[in-house]
Amino acid sequence: MNRIFTYIKTIIFCLFMTAPAYAGTVSLQTECPVYTIRDGATLTEEEQRAIDATIGYFLENPDVDRVVLDSRDFPSLSIEWYNAISEKLDFINEHYWYLKGNDQNYIYFENYITAATHSNTTYDYKSHQDHTTITVKNYMKDFQTLEIKKFVDYAYFLVPSLGIYDGMDEFEAIEILNNYVCDLMEYDLDYEAKYLSIFETHKGTCGDYALLFKALARGAGIEAYSIDSQTEEHSWNSVVIDGTEYEIDTCWNDMQYWDRHNIYLLSREKTANITCHKFVEYKE
């Protein structure tokens, strides 16, 4: 009887020890791209060259206001053609806030950061043909794209230094990131919506906590989002592990008497029962 009992215990122990293998594992990221191609979209070789020529130029020359593309280099060139390409792209500004104007109002930018503004057709005496040029405005400068990229890239850079490595169980990595954000941050209303300076001030409000955690989690290759409850003026995060979505609020977890697990990997149903977490109108 004792042998059977010992055998059963061994099986249970082995199942318990091997369970994390079924969980998602960390895949460290090195750099956050300015853009990616939207799900379901594709770019032709010419479209890809046009976007690379634009964004590459703006990255190398961040202070310029515009760039001019020529139909002799891009035969399909037109304002409509170029702007249609931009709409196929998913820019970093659609996932992280940028400052609107000179006040403290941050918004998500839901449009493309590069677009043709006007065109011009002239006659080319060498080829004896008309050719078209379009001017593309550098919206990357207006929408703080490079500043946002630096913030996210630095978050990615930090992840390995926190003891997170390729192949680590994602639940274990989330625990480290949750504690890191709570250790680093101090809640301060005077630093609301200034997440770009978090690594200097270590201060912010719920939205700053949420964007920091999202950047760190994505740096670990974890599918993470920030949740902005417009009706309740609060932000927090969700993560997706093996197809299951969990919610986590590092701002609320940053209370020592809650042992940093007040809202930690809860379902939407459970989180909805907590004050300020009932309504979700925007998630990115």
Side-chain angles (χ1 to χ4, degrees), residues 192-235:
E192 182 178 8
K194 294 183 179 178
Y195 77 93
L196 291 175
S197 64
I198 280 177
F199 295 119
E200 298 175 4
T201 66
H202 298 181
K203 297 180 179 180
T205 58
C206 59
D208 304 297
Y209 277 77
L211 288 170
L212 173 60
F213 178 84
K214 178 171 73 173
L216 291 166
R218 291 190 174 184
I222 298 171
E223 184 178 351
Y225 303 92
S226 57
I227 297 174
D228 185 14
S229 179
Q230 302 288 351
T231 57
E232 298 183 313
E233 296 185 355
H234 188 58
S235 299

Side-chain angles (χ1 to χ4, degrees), residues 18-37:
T18 57
Y22 295 97
T25 55
V26 165
S27 177
L28 295 176
Q29 308 298 302
T30 57
E31 185 178 5
C32 181
V34 171
Y35 77 91
T36 56
I37 300 175

Side-chain angles (χ1 to χ4, degrees), residues 154-155 157-159 161-164 173-186 198-199 202 209 212-213 216-217 250 254 260:
Y154 187 67
F157 169 78
L158 281 177
V159 171
S161 70
L162 304 180
I164 296 174
I174 289 170
E175 174 77 13
I176 293 173
L177 295 179
N178 175 71
N179 292 339
Y180 172 75
V181 173
C182 291
D183 284 338
L184 178 73
M185 294 292 291
E186 175 186 349
I198 280 177
F199 295 119
H202 298 181
Y209 277 77
L212 173 60
F213 178 84
L216 291 166
T250 53
D254 192 16
R260 297 178 176 172

Side-chain angles (χ1 to χ4, degrees), residues 119-139:
S119 64
N120 183 46
T121 301
T122 58
Y123 185 74
D124 182 358
Y125 289 95
K126 289 185 178 180
S127 64
H128 301 290
Q129 292 179 340
D130 289 339
H131 70 98
T132 301
T133 59
I134 62 170
T135 300
V136 183
K137 181 175 172 56
N138 186 6
Y139 288 114

